[in-house]
Amino acid sequence: MSPSQPASRTLTLHPGTFRHAPDGDQIALRAGDTLHIVCREGLTPVELLRGLDRAHHAHGGSGRVGAGLVEISGMLLTSLVFLLTLGILDIFGNSLHHVIGEWVHEEGANHDDAIREGRLLLLSTLLFFGGMVAVRLFRRLPLFEENLESVGHTVRLVVEDFLNSKRRQRRRLRQRLKRLGADQVARIEVWNPQSAPGATGSAGHGAAPTDPLAWSILLPALVDVSRPDCALALHIRQDETADVRAAAQALPGLAVDMAAQAAPTATAAGAAPRNLIPAAEQAWLPLLALAAFDPEALTPLAPAGAARVFSENAFHRLLPLAGNGVTRAEASRFLNRCLNDYGLLRDDPDSGLWFLAGDADAPPARQGALWTALFHALTANAQAFVDGDDPLTHLVASGALCALLHDLPPASAGTRRRLAQQLLEVVGGFIAAVEKSERYDLMKRVLAGPGRRNLQDLGRYLPRVVDAGEERGDADAAFTLDLAETARFNAFGYDTLARLARLFEVVGAYPEAIAIWTKLAPLDPTRARVRLARLEERSGDPQAAARAIDPLLAELDAAADAGGEVLAVPPLLRAEAYLEGAWIIYSVLDDARRDEGLQRLATARRWLLASPPDAAAANAVAIAYWRYHNYLALYLDWAGDYAAALAEHRRALAIPGVSGKWYSGTLSNIAYVARKAALAAANDAPAARRHRLDDAVTAAGLAADLKERLGDEDELPVALHNLAVSRYCRAALDEAGAARDERLGAAAAAAREGLAWLDKADSDKKRGALLLETLLAGRAAGADADPAALAALLALPDSALAPAERRARDLLAAAPDEAARATALDELGRRVQCLELLA
C-alpha cells in the first residue's frame, strides 16, 4: 500500500508471547505465508538490512548468483561511464591539452606524455565516482559498508552519517522487504519492537518507547510495503502494553487491537529465545537456579527428581551476590517477565508455588564467582538468606548448604563444622516456619512424601554423634549403624523434634511421628503417651488407642486423688490428656462408655480453667478450648441433640487464634451434624430437608477444600467422607434425572479421592465408610457393585470398622450373587437414611 492511499489497517498487540518466538539468532525469517522480524537488543539499521538479506538468501533468493549479477551490472554501468568520459575528452581535447600541457611544460616533461597521463588521471577519478554511483544505484549499501570497516573511524562515521538518514534507511528497508516477499505474505509478526537503541523501557523503568528503528523506520516501512489484507502483529512484554499501545496509536493509518494475554501455564511452548532477553536481565538468570530447590532431592546424595521449586523471597535475598545494585522493583519486574513472558517460571495454582521452567529448570553450577560468593556468605551467616515466616527460603538455604558441605575436602574440618551448624539452624527454622505458616504441603513434599529420604540425607550433613560404619569402613559396621540409629535426630533439641512429630502427624506420616515421640518419651513421658495414643487412633485402630490412653488417665486420676504429688503434670497437659481420652471413646462409639467420655470432658474443662495465664502457651490454650467445644458437640450429636451440637460447633468456630487445620475440622463436623439433623427430621417438608442437606454439602466442601489447601492429609479423608455421604443423602431426595445422577457421581468421586489419600498415608481410618459410600453411590446410579471396592471392604479387619460398618460388610459378604448384592446395598442405603449406618 502506498502512503497516499487512505486506509485503516489493524495492528494487533500480543503481550506475553515471547516463548513462542522463532528460535535461533536470525533477525528475519520467512515461514510459509508469515514473515517474522525479531528486534533483538542493540539492533542497528545496518544489521536489520543484513538480516533481511540473509533471510532472503535462506528463503531461496538470489544468493551468490544474484550478488554476482548485481556486480556485473555495476561493471557494465561503469564501462558506459568510461566510454562517455572518452567521448568528452575527444570533444574537449584541445582545452584539456592546453591546461594540462601548460602544467607539464612547467615541469619540463613531454607534452604528449602529459596529455596521456592527464587523461588517465581524469579517467581514474571519473571511474571511482562512477563505481560509487553504480553501487549506490543498485542499493548494495551493506556490501559497501562492510568494506568501510577497514577505513579509518572518522571516515566511516562521516560516510554513515551521510548514507544513513531515516529517509534513505526506510527506502532501502522497503526494497529489502519487497525482495523478501513482505508485499505478498498474509501475516507479518514483529517480536520485541521495544528492545533496540533508544528503547529505554525494555530493561529500565518502563519509559515510553522512543526507538527510531521500530517506530520511525521499521513499522512505517512494513505498513507501506505489506498488502492491505496482511495481518500485522507486535509481540511485546506484558509490562510494556500501555507504552507500546500509545506509540502504535501515534502511527498514521493504524487501528490498534489487543489480543488476549497468554496465560503463564505449564503447557506453554517453552522458554523465550535468549536474544529477546536484555543483557542486564540475562546477568540475573543464574540467580534463578540458586533460588530454587528440588523437593525430592534436597541434597546431592539423591538423584534429581521433580521440577525445582522457586522462592521469590530467596531470589531477592540472593541479589546482592550479583553485585550490580539491582533494586527490588527491577528484580520483581524481571521475575514477572520470567513468569509471564520468558517462560522461565511457571505458576502452579493448586499449590501456590512457582517452579522453574524451560532451560532454567536445572541445578545451579557449583563453581564460578557467584557460587564462591554464596559459599562465603553462607559460611558467615546463613540466617541472612532466610525469612522466619517463609519456609521456602529455608529450603533454598538448606539445599545450598548441603551442596557446599558435599564439595568440601576432608581437610576443611573447621569450615565443615561451621556449615553443619548453620544447616542445623536453617532446618530447625524450616520446621518452625512450616508450623507457623501452615504450609503442610511443603512438609509433605520435602520430608514425608516423594522426598521422604531427604530427612535421612540431611542427617549425613548435620552434626553427628556417630558416623555410620559404611562411611568409616569399620570392621563391625552393623554395630556402628545400630549406634547411629540410636543417636538419630540427636542434633535437634526437644522443641524442634516435638514440632517435627506434630507436623508428621498432620501430613499423615504416622510411623515417623511415632518414632520421634518414642524417642522423646524419656524426656516427657506424659505428653509422649498422649501423642502415641492419638497416633494409634489416627492410624485407624481406636481400640489400640483406648488401651494406650486408659492407663494414663487412671494414673492421672490417682494423682489427683493423692493431691497431685504422684505425677507433677501441668494443668494444660492434664486437660489435653483428658480431651484425648474423650475423643478416643467417641472414636470407638461404645455406648456403654459415653457417660465416661462426658466425664472426661468435664475433667478437661476443670484443668483448662485451672491453667495459669501464659502468653507463651496462648495458642495451645486456644486449641485446647477448641477441642473441648468440638468434642462436646460430638457427644451431644451422639445423644441426638443436634441443635445443641451445632451451637457448640459454632462456639468452636468462633474461638480466635486457632489454625486453619482446626477450623476445617469444625466445618467438617458442622456438615456431619447438619446431615444427621436433616435425616432425623423425616416428618419435615422435603424442601426443608433438602435445604439442610445443601448446607451440609456446602460445609463439607468448604472443609475438604481448606484441608487440601493446607495439606492436612491427616484429616482430609475424613472430610471427604463427610462430603461423599452428604452428597449421597442429598441425591436420595431427588427424583430420577440428570441432577440426581450428577450428585451421585460427585459422591462417588469424593469417596474415591478419600481412598486415594488413605493409600498415600497408609491408613485405614474411615476406609470402610469410604468404600461403602463408593458402593452405595454406584448402586443408586444403577451400576453393578465395584468389584475392587467390594473386595477391599471384605478384606478389612474388624479393628478398622465401626460396629455398623462391620454388620454392613457381613451382609455384603453373605450375598451369593449380583442380584443379592444389589438387594443388600438397597438395604444399606435405607440404613444410611435412617441413621443406622455412616452416622
Side-chain angles (χ1 to χ4, degrees):
M1 167 182 16
S2 66
S4 61
Q5 290 176 323
S8 179
R9 303 282 300 280
T10 299
L11 178 66
T12 306
L13 305 185
H14 295 265
T17 55
F18 276 20
R19 67 194 70 182
H20 301 280
D23 200 5
D25 200 35
Q26 63 266 42
I27 295 173
L29 173 67
R30 174 79 180 272
D33 213 20
T34 301
L35 174 62
H36 298 272
I37 298 178
V38 181
C39 299
R40 64 192 182 195
E41 186 182 26
L43 184 66
T44 65
V46 173
E47 290 175 338
L48 176 59
L49 292 173
R50 292 174 183 167
L52 292 172
D53 283 337
R54 285 192 292 268
H56 173 56
H57 297 159
H59 190 63
S62 60
R64 292 182 178 270
V65 176
L69 291 175
V70 171
E71 296 300 333
I72 292 174
S73 301
M75 292 174 61
L76 291 175
L77 182 60
T78 303
S79 300
L80 292 176
V81 173
F82 175 74
L83 294 176
L84 180 62
T85 303
L86 291 178
I88 293 174
L89 288 174
D90 288 337
I91 296 173
F92 300 100
N94 292 332
S95 299
L96 291 172
H97 173 270
H98 178 73
V99 173
I100 297 175
E102 287 185 353
W103 170 70
V104 175
H105 176 73
E106 293 177 356
E107 298 293 330
N110 184 275
H111 284 231
D112 294 335
D113 293 340
I115 291 173
R116 285 193 297 271
E117 291 174 0
R119 287 178 176 178
L120 292 175
L121 177 63
L122 182 59
L123 287 174
S124 299
T125 304
L126 292 175
L127 182 63
F128 172 77
F129 285 103
M132 288 187 62
V133 170
V135 174
R136 183 72 183 89
L137 290 175
F138 281 86
R139 305 295 191 263
R140 301 300 296 175
L141 180 60
L143 297 176
F144 175 64
E145 290 190 347
E146 287 177 0
N147 295 329
L148 284 179
E149 292 178 0
S150 60
V151 184
H153 182 65
T154 304
V155 176
R156 178 185 177 87
L157 292 178
V158 171
V159 175
E160 286 187 346
D161 182 66
F162 172 74
L163 296 176
N164 288 340
S165 69
K166 287 189 175 103
R167 182 176 58 83
R168 292 186 178 91
Q169 289 172 350
R170 194 180 302 173
R171 186 170 62 247
R172 293 195 300 273
L173 183 57
R174 284 198 297 267
Q175 183 186 21
R176 297 304 198 286
L177 289 171
K178 287 182 179 179
R179 185 183 303 171
L180 190 55
D183 56 344
Q184 301 172 1
V185 297
R187 184 175 182 84
I188 299 178
E189 303 195 5
V190 180
W191 300 85
N192 194 31
Q194 184 80 307
S195 182
T200 56
S202 65
H205 302 280
T210 58
D211 169 34
L213 178 62
W215 304 99
S216 301
I217 300 174
L218 176 59
L219 291 176
L222 289 173
V223 173
D224 291 344
V225 170
S226 61
R227 66 193 197 197
D229 61 341
C230 178
L232 300 178
L234 296 186
H235 295 271
I236 59 176
R237 300 174 183 86
Q238 289 195 12
D239 56 29
E240 298 171 336
T241 302
D243 293 335
V244 172
R245 182 167 191 162
Q249 289 174 337
L251 295 175
L254 285 179
V256 181
D257 190 17
M258 183 68 62
Q261 292 185 354
T265 65
T267 59
R274 285 293 188 267
N275 59 358
L276 292 181
I277 303 177
E281 295 182 349
Q282 289 193 38
W284 308 336
L285 293 179
L287 291 177
L288 292 177
L290 284 183
F293 63 92
D294 187 336
E296 297 181 15
L298 198 58
T299 74
L301 297 174
R308 294 171 61 82
V309 179
F310 176 78
S311 169
E312 180 180 6
N313 204 343
F315 179 84
H316 287 296
R317 290 173 179 267
L318 289 168
L319 270 177
L321 297 179
N324 50 7
V326 184
T327 66
R328 190 177 184 90
E330 291 171 338
S332 297
R333 182 172 57 252
F334 166 67
L335 294 181
N336 286 331
R337 289 178 173 182
C338 289
L339 179 68
N340 300 322
D341 302 303
Y342 302 151
L344 299 177
L345 292 173
R346 64 177 178 86
D347 182 17
D348 180 18
D350 293 334
S351 64
L353 297 173
W354 283 9
F355 292 86
L356 295 184
D359 52 6
D361 187 14
R366 283 153 47 188
Q367 57 185 354
L370 192 59
W371 187 255
T372 302
L374 179 64
F375 168 78
H376 292 300
L378 289 176
T379 305
N381 182 20
Q383 295 298 321
F385 295 93
V386 301
D387 184 335
D389 295 333
D390 184 2
L392 290 176
T393 60
H394 292 82
L395 291 173
V396 170
S398 297
L401 285 167
C402 288
L404 293 172
L405 284 164
H406 187 81
D407 296 340
L408 272 181
S412 304
T415 303
R416 180 175 296 276
R417 283 193 298 271
R418 288 194 299 273
L419 288 176
Q421 186 61 36
Q422 298 271 26
L423 178 62
L424 178 65
E425 296 174 3
V426 170
V427 174
F430 163 72
I431 295 171
V434 167
E435 185 177 53
K436 183 176 182 180
S437 63
E438 298 188 73
R439 293 300 305 270
Y440 305 125
D441 59 315
L442 289 177
M443 182 70 188
K444 183 70 175 178
R445 284 176 183 269
V446 176
L447 295 182
R452 187 181 297 268
R453 65 167 291 176
N454 280 330
L455 188 60
Q456 178 182 354
D457 291 344
L458 283 170
R460 302 279 293 275
Y461 300 106
L462 293 170
R464 286 176 286 172
V465 177
V466 179
D467 284 338
E470 58 197 30
E471 295 180 8
R472 296 170 57 87
D474 292 349
D476 193 356
F479 178 68
T480 308
L481 287 172
D482 181 65
L483 292 178
E485 181 62 24
T486 302
R488 187 185 181 196
F489 301 125
N490 277 15
F492 296 109
Y494 172 86
D495 290 340
T496 299
L497 286 177
R499 187 178 289 117
L500 180 60
R502 290 195 295 270
L503 291 175
F504 275 136
E505 178 185 336
V506 169
V507 299
Y510 303 127
E512 288 84 352
I514 290 172
I516 294 177
W517 282 116
T518 302
K519 184 180 184 67
L520 295 178
L523 301 177
D524 194 351
T526 302
R527 192 181 306 275
R529 292 171 70 181
V530 172
R531 303 309 298 181
L532 288 170
R534 178 175 179 81
L535 287 167
E536 292 284 0
E537 186 273 330
R538 295 284 89 183
S539 300
D541 194 348
Q543 287 81 7
R547 292 192 297 270
I549 197 70
D550 290 346
L552 172 62
L553 296 183
E555 294 174 21
L556 292 176
D557 290 338
D561 294 340
E565 298 177 359
V566 178
L567 289 176
V569 180
L572 181 58
L573 181 54
R574 288 177 180 268
E576 291 174 351
Y578 283 103
L579 287 170
E580 199 63 51
W583 166 253
I584 289 173
I585 287 178
Y586 175 80
S587 298
V588 178
L589 286 178
D590 185 355
D591 289 331
R593 299 190 65 184
R594 186 170 63 190
D595 292 339
E596 182 184 358
L598 286 169
Q599 184 179 358
R600 289 180 177 180
L601 283 176
T603 304
R605 185 172 185 274
R606 287 198 302 272
W607 285 113
L608 280 174
L609 294 174
S611 301
D614 184 0
N619 185 58
V621 171
I623 293 174
Y625 271 106
W626 175 89
R627 293 179 67 191
Y628 168 76
H629 288 290
N630 190 60
Y631 296 168
L632 179 57
L634 294 176
Y635 274 83
L636 291 170
D637 162 70
W638 193 0
D641 193 348
Y642 303 125
L646 285 172
E648 285 297 326
H649 280 311
R650 290 181 177 276
R651 291 189 182 97
L653 191 63
I655 293 176
V658 178
S659 69
K661 169 183 170 61
W662 307 110
Y663 290 134
S664 64
T666 297
L667 290 170
S668 185
N669 290 332
I670 288 175
Y672 171 69
V673 177
R675 171 177 60 85
K676 294 180 67 177
L679 296 178
N683 296 326
D684 287 359
R689 299 179 69 200
R690 292 191 188 97
H691 178 72
R692 291 176 184 172
L693 284 172
D694 285 336
D695 291 344
V697 171
T698 299
L702 291 172
D705 290 343
L706 180 55
K707 287 185 178 294
E708 188 166 5
R709 289 202 311 272
L710 295 174
D712 184 7
E713 298 180 14
D714 173 38
E715 294 186 353
L716 180 56
V718 179
L720 290 168
H721 148 65
N722 271 330
L723 180 59
V725 71
S726 297
R727 286 173 171 169
Y728 171 76
C729 292
R730 176 62 181 84
L733 297 182
D734 285 334
E735 299 292 336
R740 184 175 186 271
D741 292 341
E742 182 179 355
R743 288 192 172 95
L744 290 172
R752 286 192 294 269
E753 184 180 356
L755 290 169
W757 285 110
L758 285 178
D759 291 338
K760 291 182 179 180
D762 193 21
S763 172
D764 286 335
K765 184 177 175 62
K766 292 298 180 183
R767 186 179 294 273
L770 290 164
L771 289 169
L772 282 169
E773 287 148 12
T774 303
L775 294 169
L776 289 170
R779 169 57 187 162
D784 292 338
D786 184 345
L790 181 61
L793 177 63
L794 298 181
L796 284 178
D798 289 350
S799 60
L801 297 170
E805 295 168 2
R806 287 198 294 270
R807 292 191 292 270
R809 179 200 60 187
D810 295 341
L811 181 62
L812 288 171
D817 52 30
E818 188 62 38
R821 279 191 290 272
T823 302
L825 285 172
D826 290 339
E827 168 60 20
L828 296 180
R830 184 197 64 79
R831 294 182 188 180
V832 171
Q833 299 298 323
C834 295
L835 296 175
E836 298 174 7
L837 178 63
L838 302 180

